[in-house]
Amino acid sequence: MLPSSAFEEPGAGQLADNVLHFARVLRKAGLPVGTDRPMLALEALAVAGIDSRADLYATLKACLIDRVEHLPLFDQA
């Protein structure tokens, strides 16, 4: 579960919506993204932060894909 402070920041709900939308895009692209993965990504982002684009990318990649073969589709999405 996310700490309550993660949702107290302005725009925090928008981040959650965007992560869920991105997970849906990945599923439609054919990647096997489980229903638990967006929540894992949000929890990881609460810890890692979103200060840089590289951190956001690395966190989402680590949480949403399992196989190196899926990386090109992840990057395209």
Side-chain angles (χ1 to χ4, degrees):
M1 180 165 231
L2 282 175
S4 60
S5 62
F7 290 109
E8 292 173 3
E9 297 177 24
Q14 189 175 8
L15 176 63
D17 290 343
N18 288 339
V19 169
L20 288 173
H21 177 73
F22 186 59
R24 288 184 191 118
V25 167
L26 293 175
R27 281 189 204 112
K28 286 183 181 181
L31 297 182
V33 178
T35 57
D36 62 324
R37 293 307 183 94
M39 189 62 178
L40 175 65
L42 288 171
E43 291 172 353
L45 288 170
V47 173
I50 55 170
D51 295 333
S52 74
R53 180 174 278 186
D55 291 344
L56 177 66
Y57 171 84
T59 302
L60 290 177
K61 181 176 79 167
C63 293
L64 297 177
I65 64 171
D66 289 328
R67 302 177 61 97
V68 71
E69 299 87 36
H70 297 156
L71 188 56
L73 279 175
F74 178 87
D75 288 340
Q76 189 176 14

